[in-house]
Amino acid sequence: MKGLRKKQALALFPLIALIFYEVSGGPFGAETSVRAAGPVLAVAGFIVFPMIWSIPEALITAELATMFPEDSGYVAWVSAAFGPFVGFQEGLLSWLSGMSDNALYPVLAVDYFQYLFPVLTDPFWRYTAIFATAFLLTYLNYRGLVVVGRLAVALTIFSMLPFIGMVLMGIPRIQPKLWAIHDVPRAFRALDWRHFINIIFWNVNYWDSVSTLAGEVAEPQRTLPTALLWAVVLMVLGYVVPLAVGTGICVPTAHGCESSAEWHSGYFSKVAYVVGGRPRATTAGA
């Protein structure tokens, strides 16, 4: 209709960045897999799980999203297969799941900043920072998908550059002995399988959520499969390379190096501090 603004469509690079952030966003939060399973098995997990879960889920999403190129995404799939009532249940449950999942990210962000800015250990400033982060993300979503897509490209570059710097500066400092497993049967017995699988599954899941962008994509039959492919590659590299390098770097203590039991959310900031000092730790935390 004349006078209405033409709808803008998502191009390839903003779509790749949005998919990357829908599913991963970088190695943030992957540190606890090291505590649960040790360095070698943590890295192996982020190689194996994408092959048996992420790639099949991404292929299913690419096929169905191109068949149903609309914003309702997986709700349209379920409605077509089982009717509108079940489709509504799918939408409601997915909304509840997304609301619970998205509530984690402001907390995770503050966990990283807390290492750099100890004032955030104070409950007042911690909750203030969490609220401010949640409000900012809500406002950006309110501005529209095109704005979010452009911001996602910028954030992908901004968030991954510190890890690229940490990896390049950290490679010469790697001590392979830190990866060694001296007693494989004992290592498997000590592995916290429930926590390990849960943390990896959480980090490599949610590819079907990309289907809710299908109605905003330019030439979805061509753009969606390509974007999903590059997002899978970016996700795997974003987990495996920083974890492999980070677990090979000695974080010194009075008695040697910290063990894998010390790895927790935000630990990459500590590794970055060892590798490049406070500036590198600050950018990794940011």
Side-chain angles (χ1 to χ4, degrees):
M1 183 182 295
K2 189 176 180 179
L4 291 177
R5 187 169 56 183
K6 185 179 179 180
K7 182 179 180 181
Q8 292 180 288
L10 279 172
L12 179 62
F13 289 110
L15 182 60
I16 293 173
L18 277 170
I19 295 172
F20 178 67
Y21 268 95
E22 285 265 11
V23 176
S24 168
F28 308 101
E31 298 99 328
T32 54
S33 65
V34 179
R35 184 175 60 191
V40 174
L41 293 176
V43 172
F46 280 103
I47 296 173
V48 173
F49 267 74
M51 289 192 293
I52 63 176
W53 180 264
S54 300
I55 292 175
E57 188 182 14
L59 289 171
I60 292 170
T61 301
E63 180 178 359
L64 291 176
T66 53
M67 290 176 61
F68 298 88
E70 50 190 275
D71 292 340
S72 53
Y74 41 74
V75 176
W77 310 348
V78 175
S79 297
F82 303 107
F85 177 76
V86 179
F88 173 79
Q89 302 304 316
E90 165 67 16
L92 177 62
L93 293 174
S94 296
W95 177 76
L96 291 172
S97 172
M99 182 177 62
S100 303
D101 181 64
N102 288 330
L104 297 173
Y105 297 107
V107 177
L108 188 60
V110 173
D111 282 343
Y112 275 83
F113 281 115
Q114 184 174 292
Y115 175 74
L116 306 170
F117 306 105
V119 69
L120 293 177
T121 58
D122 180 272
F124 173 79
W125 292 111
R126 176 175 174 80
Y127 288 114
T128 299
I130 291 172
F131 175 80
T133 304
F135 179 82
L136 176 62
L137 295 174
T138 302
Y139 173 72
L140 291 172
N141 277 279
Y142 167 76
R143 289 296 307 273
L145 193 57
V146 173
V147 172
V148 173
R150 291 169 181 168
L151 181 67
V153 174
L155 283 176
T156 299
I157 297 170
F158 175 75
S159 63
M160 294 308 294
L161 275 178
F163 288 101
I164 294 172
M166 184 192 77
V167 166
L168 294 177
M169 295 174 66
I171 287 174
R173 304 177 62 128
I174 289 177
Q175 300 181 27
K177 65 180 182 181
L178 296 176
W179 296 330
I181 301 177
H182 301 291
D183 187 343
V184 175
R186 182 179 179 183
F188 270 91
R189 287 196 300 270
L191 197 154
D192 184 352
W193 283 103
R194 184 174 62 178
H195 184 76
F196 178 54
I197 293 175
N198 183 62
I199 196 67
I200 291 186
F201 185 72
W202 178 67
N203 276 282
V204 303
N205 196 15
Y206 297 111
W207 292 93
D208 58 314
S209 62
V210 177
S211 65
T212 59
L213 307 175
E216 311 290 333
V217 176
E219 301 181 62
Q221 284 75 17
R222 180 175 64 87
T223 306
L224 266 172
T226 305
L228 283 161
L229 169 65
W230 283 108
V232 169
V233 172
L234 187 59
M235 179 202 70
V236 174
L237 291 176
Y239 286 127
V240 170
V241 178
L243 279 173
V245 174
T247 53
I249 294 172
C250 176
V251 177
T253 66
H255 305 289
C257 304
E258 288 191 348
S259 69
S260 58
E262 301 299 323
W263 278 69
H264 51 78
S265 295
Y267 195 84
F268 273 122
S269 293
K270 185 179 287 190
V271 175
Y273 185 86
V274 171
V275 171
R278 188 172 182 84
R280 182 65 56 196
T282 302
T283 52

